[in-house]
Amino acid sequence: MAYDYDPQNIFARILRGEIPNDTVLETDHTLAFRDIRPQTPHHVLVIPKGAYVCFDHFAAEASAEEIVDFHRTAAKVCADLGIGPGEGGNGYRTVSNAGLDAVQEVPHYHMHILAGRPLGPMLSQRD
C-alpha cells in the first residue's frame, strides 16, 4: 500500500525547525522530544527524520540504518530517564498509533514512551 506523506504535518515542521520542541535526544536519523501534553510524568515522543506515515510504512521502507538508529535512540531515552526495569526503574509503555481506528493524530510515524506512574491495563474493556 502506498502512503501519502503530508510534509506540512506538525512533526515535519518540528524537524525543519519551524516549531520549537523540548529535545531529549537527537541523532542523524531520529529525534526524541517531550510531549507538549504529557499523559505521564515521563512522556517522550520518538520520531524518525524520514517521511514515514506509520509503523508499517517505516518498517517496510526505512533503511536498516534508520530502523536501528530509531530503536537504539528509544533505548537510550529509556536509559537516560532511568525508567527501564533492567536499570532499576519501574518500567514504561511504548505506544504507536496507526490510522483512524487507532486515532493517529499526526500522520508521521512516532512512538510514545510513557512512564513515571502505574499505567493500568493496556486497553479498556468494552461490552
Side-chain angles (χ1 to χ4, degrees):
M1 175 179 179
Y3 285 97
D4 185 24
Y5 182 81
D6 175 9
Q8 294 306 314
N9 76 70
I10 191 167
F11 293 164
R13 295 180 64 208
I14 287 171
L15 288 168
R16 289 193 301 268
E18 297 170 7
I19 298 173
N21 73 89
D22 186 0
T23 298
V24 173
L25 183 62
E26 184 171 9
T27 67
D28 289 342
H29 300 289
T30 307
L31 177 65
F33 56 95
R34 287 181 179 79
D35 195 294
I36 61 170
R37 290 185 309 251
Q39 303 297 306
T40 57
H42 298 293
H43 187 166
V44 175
L45 296 170
V46 182
I47 66 172
K49 290 183 176 180
Y52 304 104
V53 174
C54 56
F55 169 76
D56 60 290
H57 185 209
F58 178 71
E61 296 187 18
S63 69
E65 186 176 11
E66 289 173 296
I67 293 168
V68 169
D69 184 78
F70 181 87
H71 289 284
R72 295 255 168 93
T73 300
K76 181 149 178 34
V77 167
C78 291
D80 290 352
L81 294 175
I83 59 177
E87 302 293 324
N90 286 333
Y92 57 89
R93 178 173 294 158
T94 60
V95 176
S96 177
N97 300 313
L100 296 175
D101 282 355
V103 194
Q104 182 179 3
E105 294 180 14
V106 180
H108 183 110
Y109 175 50
H110 57 287
M111 180 173 69
H112 298 258
I113 299 174
L114 304 153
R117 68 171 173 78
L119 298 175
M122 187 138 78
L123 296 173
S124 61
Q125 298 296 319
R126 297 181 88 184
D127 294 332

